[in-house]
Amino acid sequence: MLQAGSLPGNNEEKGVLASWDGKKWEIVERRQFTDVTGPGGIYGSPDNKTPLWSIGWDKRSVILKLLDKGQWYTYRLPKAAHTYDHRGGWYTEWPRIREVGNGKMLMDMHAMMYDFPKTFSRANSGGIAPLNTHLRYIPDFCNWNNQIVIATDETTVLENPLAGRAQSNLWFGQWNDLNKWGSPTGWGGPWEKDAVKGNTPSDPYLINGFDKKVLHLLADKQTTVTLQIDVSGNNSWKDYKKIRLDANHYQYFLLPADLKATWIRFKTDKDCIATAFMHFSGKPHTPNNTLFKSLADITETSPVNANIIRPANFNKNLQVLQTSENKYTEVDEKLVTVTPTTDSSAQVLRLGKLVKGYTVDEASVIVKDATGTFRLPKGSDIYQTFAYRDKREIESERFMLNISGTFYEVGRESGFIALRPITTHNKKIIDFCTWRGLLVLSGTKKDARADGQYFGNSSNGLWYGGVDDMWKMGKAVGTGSVWKNTTVKAGEASLPYLMTGYDRKKVSLTANIPVKITLEVDFDLTGFHQYKTFNLTPGKPVEYEFPAGFSAHWVRAVADKDCVVSVTFIYQ
């Protein structure tokens, strides 16, 4: 884009939004942008006075640009996942704002869908509201025959021998179906260790439509941060609260549930390096046990269909290998069992071998990759002797981890540091994949019967559904420790323990000597900050419940003396 200006000046300038007046290019902003559209959608603007919108992102949050009456304005929204953050931009595919019937417009960006008003302008920025967070990788969507049609991009063959062919399909549904996916949950903000000018407001950040909201604040100088809100989205701002920050001293603030506003913004009373970052938590869906009744619970002792599954490479069928009987079958596009002409058992066993990619100790689950070593909650002890697949791509460039009864989403590039929990199922799920646009799970009961989700027989019975049905299995829960009767050194931090994506959170602490244990949180994946210090006395456990709505990505513990200590987190 040299015609529009000079080369990028720093690592954040990874893309560009530029305008063309018929004679020359002019850079609007050097960030990664995708869609450029307006109220006319794919048919173009009805006149030259109509606002124009563009969506993009940077390390802080999603960016919504508005061109109105010749001037550009910036708004910001949360990210629901970090799996779209790759600098090349292709992991976003083509997020966009588009009409989907009945006068409604839908916006999809960074794994979150929004009800987007056609009237969005500088004078009227109200009405935008989150609908869901999702697992589907969505290149495009439209309205057709009074249905919303969503294109999906599931399994690839890139470094993926578990898939014989790439898999994708179309989803057909209604507006109300979108509310049944994941509850709107995400994080982000206008500042992340940024040089800000005193008494200069930040970009507006969306808070409308989210359930629980916590603000994380940090500055390198003593300063007062003023929170301002735009209640109706009419660009009418009023002071809401002032928070005094000491230099390099982390603080958090829980926004009350009854706060009614569309946008929030921040300003400091002096020049400084500041962070203003928010975490939003949604209301978990009630588990739909009927939907998954054919899947065996981890505590059930009756036999299950222990199938390894794989999309074939020589045809378009699903390969199914019943490992207990070494019986090979295939399933066709009608979900009918077919007798293959060739027994491909050896191929499925070779390519689909169940390999354990994590470890478990007395404290919790441990996962490790290039982004670091981390701890996750433990489920039933039965999972330690139960053979199942723990990692597989089910959406393009995105892996699903199935570890100790919980599903987690993790990006190929973003890694474990940016994973998010999806659901705790506590099922005997042995294998899983996406095939022809369906999510397929193995581990069904031998005596299961056809119910609209279960198809097959006592050898190759499988559960079939949509990938975003996972949210209906129940919220993520679990218990685990960073230390469990562990001898620790003074000042040495524990491994990070996952905190994001969980609802009610408690911690229990014990020690063998009088000692101070400090919990530290990482809320933006850039480092840890002191949250709270506990004074422990031998023989007197301390229990602490985190405030409702408090959330961060990771939490860890540090002791001020050598000691033997337990720090256990209980997520419910």
Side-chain angles (χ1 to χ4, degrees), residues 132-194:
N132 65 42
T133 178
H134 59 82
L135 299 171
R136 293 177 188 273
Y137 189 9
I138 299 174
D140 204 358
F141 49 88
C142 70
N143 175 59
W144 178 77
N145 279 358
N146 296 316
Q147 297 182 88
I148 298 176
V149 184
I150 296 176
T152 64
D153 188 356
E154 274 99 16
T155 308
T156 69
V157 293
L158 176 64
E159 300 177 13
N160 186 13
L162 284 171
R165 290 175 178 243
Q167 300 291 320
S168 62
N169 211 326
L170 299 175
W171 177 92
F172 297 82
Q174 300 297 321
W175 181 271
N176 289 338
D177 294 327
L178 303 178
N179 295 312
K180 300 172 185 176
W181 296 359
S183 298
T185 300
W187 48 81
W191 297 333
E192 187 181 282
K193 298 181 179 178
D194 288 314

Side-chain angles (χ1 to χ4, degrees), residues 15 102 129 172 191 255 272 292 309 352 356 367 396 401 430 442 508 517:
N102 298 317
F172 297 82
W191 297 333
L255 277 68
C272 60
F292 303 97
I309 50 180
K356 190 175 179 180
V367 294
S396 181
L401 304 181
I430 291 163
S442 85
S508 176
I517 303 295

Side-chain angles (χ1 to χ4, degrees), residues 39 133 158 173 249 253 318 434 437 531 572:
T133 178
L158 176 64
H249 182 78
F253 173 69
L318 180 69
T434 42
Y531 171 78
Q572 298 172 323

Side-chain angles (χ1 to χ4, degrees), residues 221-352:
K221 297 177 183 177
Q222 187 181 78
T223 185
T224 296
V225 180
T226 301
L227 282 57
Q228 297 181 316
I229 56 173
D230 178 358
V231 174
S232 303
N234 58 4
N235 203 33
S236 177
W237 293 90
K238 64 179 182 180
D239 289 356
Y240 170 69
K241 186 176 180 63
K242 294 181 183 292
I243 299 175
R244 185 170 178 81
L245 297 180
D246 291 331
N248 299 310
H249 182 78
Y250 159 76
Q251 284 193 51
Y252 71 90
F253 173 69
L254 292 161
L255 277 68
D258 59 356
L259 174 62
K260 304 298 181 184
T262 300
W263 304 96
I264 192 170
R265 69 183 186 185
F266 313 93
K267 64 178 181 180
T268 61
D269 64 353
K270 63 184 66 171
D271 295 357
C272 60
I273 305 298
T275 293
F277 200 90
M278 303 191 75
H279 276 239
F280 298 150
S281 304
K283 293 180 180 179
H285 292 307
T286 302
N288 186 338
N289 297 322
T290 301
L291 193 67
F292 303 97
K293 66 181 182 181
S294 61
L295 293 167
D297 293 334
I298 189 61
T299 55
E300 292 187 44
T301 57
S302 55
V304 299
N305 290 309
N307 298 325
I308 295 176
I309 50 180
R310 176 181 183 267
N313 60 338
F314 46 81
N315 60 23
K316 297 179 182 179
N317 291 342
L318 180 69
Q319 296 178 291
V320 183
L321 178 63
Q322 169 59 273
T323 56
S324 60
E325 304 170 8
N326 196 31
K327 184 176 181 180
Y328 175 78
T329 56
E330 294 178 11
V331 178
D332 68 11
E333 72 278 7
K334 297 180 180 179
L335 304 186
V336 173
T337 301
V338 296
T339 302
T341 56
T342 302
D343 185 347
S344 297
S345 300
Q347 179 200 40
V348 176
L349 275 176
R350 175 174 56 85
L351 298 175

